Amino acid sequence: MAIGPVQLLVLGFKHPNFHGEIIEELERLKQSDTVRVIDALAVYKTADGELEAEHLSNLTKEEAVEIGSKIGALIGLGFEGEAGAAAGAMKGAELASEEGVAVFDDPQAWDVLAEIPNDSAAALLLIEHHWAVPLRDAIARAGGFRVADGFISPLDLVGIGLIAAEEAKELHDLETAGAKA
């Protein structure tokens, strides 16, 4: 299993109204081999500013061990070269087998959480774009590399003729509704 490009999404919720739809959609994406959640953290900030957090992930134990070994190998490689990579891979796999992959193991350590307004919620999703593995590899074989990336606002798509202004406004309002409430 190749690891696809990994992205961190931070989503805010002023008045959370969770019914399981987000988790169901992430599971559907996993089943279609499109996206996997490496780690996720749901955070609620009370009116007093206290944080309550819950980890979520849809990795199987085998996937967690494999990702843990790769993360451990990268860390070991950076510290002690190839010997460190081998030792790091073993340690990463062992930890992931016991505890899963916990990138967000200390919610207080993530600076972005300070930006969450009191009496609201956020979700931090570390997702792997498994669909992009063949594309990424083809780009690398052609000598290409990532310069930048980001989501484009629906309003910006009007100017290049991809969608109509009315549709862009509806999508923009949908995407930003919680920020205005």
Side-chain angles (χ1 to χ4, degrees), residues 49-108:
E50 296 295 318
L51 293 175
E52 299 171 13
E54 180 181 348
H55 272 93
L56 309 166
S57 178
N58 65 357
L59 294 178
T60 65
K61 185 171 185 172
E62 293 78 24
E63 290 170 327
V65 167
E66 183 167 348
I67 288 174
S69 71
K70 290 183 180 187
I71 292 170
L74 289 172
I75 292 169
L77 180 66
F79 282 106
E80 297 182 25
E82 288 188 31
M90 289 176 44
K91 185 64 176 173
E94 179 183 312
L95 286 172
S97 175
E98 294 170 6
E99 303 169 16
V101 176
V103 176
F104 304 124
D105 60 344
D106 180 7
Q108 301 290 344

